[in-house]
Amino acid sequence: MPYKDPQNIRAASERYRQTHHEKILASATNYRQTHRAQCRAATKRYRETLRLETFNHYGGTQCVCCGENRLEFLTLDHIAGDGAAQRGRLRRGGTSFYSILKKQNFPDGFRILCWNCNCSLGFFGYCPHGNVKIESDNAQDLQMRLT
């Protein structure tokens, strides 16, 4: 039966979405407005789940430098020290960035640091704890800016 063929169903759905774009958009907007609390809760759960999934992939929920384990303080660090350049290219950060990493099957080059260790590495090129380093030529650039 042609109407049960998955490709036909997909094509028909796509045609409907293109033809009724404004109606679908209005319906989604209306739903979000009438179910505001549920939508916010679902979005918050999604963000927390994605962040935790990303952290667990890159070594768990603990700073690799100082051992801080409170999620509120943890962040993802670019090991090569090229975070600003990558954010500039992608124009994404936070949950959007975690989503990109997940779609790319969590590529190498990231680690979990607390906010203090990450900022110290970014601003000064080293962390006072002395347990992590920037692993690229950018570390020399940072040292040159400091002197």
Side-chain angles (χ1 to χ4, degrees):
M1 292 187 218
Y3 62 87
K4 289 192 176 185
D5 180 30
Q7 287 188 324
N8 288 344
I9 293 171
R10 242 180 266 122
S13 294
E14 182 59 32
R15 281 192 306 275
Y16 181 86
R17 282 192 298 277
Q18 289 175 352
T19 308
H20 299 89
H21 177 72
E22 295 299 323
K23 180 180 178 181
I24 294 169
L25 190 61
S27 177
T29 301
N30 182 44
Y31 181 85
R32 282 192 304 276
Q33 288 174 347
T34 56
H35 298 88
R36 189 178 203 109
Q38 295 95 325
C39 289
R40 283 186 174 179
T43 300
K44 185 177 181 179
R45 276 193 311 274
Y46 169 75
R47 288 179 176 165
E48 289 171 351
T49 302
L50 181 59
R51 186 170 186 242
L52 195 58
E53 181 181 0
T54 303
F55 284 1
N56 284 331
H57 179 81
Y58 286 109
T61 55
Q62 185 171 359
C63 175
V64 297
C65 182
C66 70
E68 176 64 60
N69 62 3
R70 286 175 275 191
L71 282 173
E72 298 87 353
F73 296 142
L74 298 179
T75 186
L76 199 59
D77 174 54
H78 296 74
I79 293 174
D82 61 345
Q86 188 170 41
R87 283 189 304 278
R89 279 192 317 274
L90 296 175
R91 293 187 170 93
R92 303 285 171 129
T95 304
S96 297
F97 183 63
Y98 298 151
S99 180
I100 290 169
L101 290 176
K102 184 176 179 178
K103 286 177 186 174
Q104 294 177 351
N105 201 24
F106 299 109
D108 293 337
F110 301 93
R111 62 184 165 201
I112 305 301
L113 291 179
C114 72
W115 187 250
N116 286 338
C117 294
N118 196 12
C119 286
S120 181
L121 278 174
F123 291 128
F124 306 114
Y126 71 95
C127 180
H129 300 113
N131 296 328
V132 295
K133 295 179 182 173
I134 296 176
E135 297 176 10
S136 78
D137 294 334
N138 290 350
Q140 291 176 346
D141 296 340
L142 286 169
Q143 287 300 329
M144 289 174 59
R145 280 190 281 161
L146 293 172
T147 57

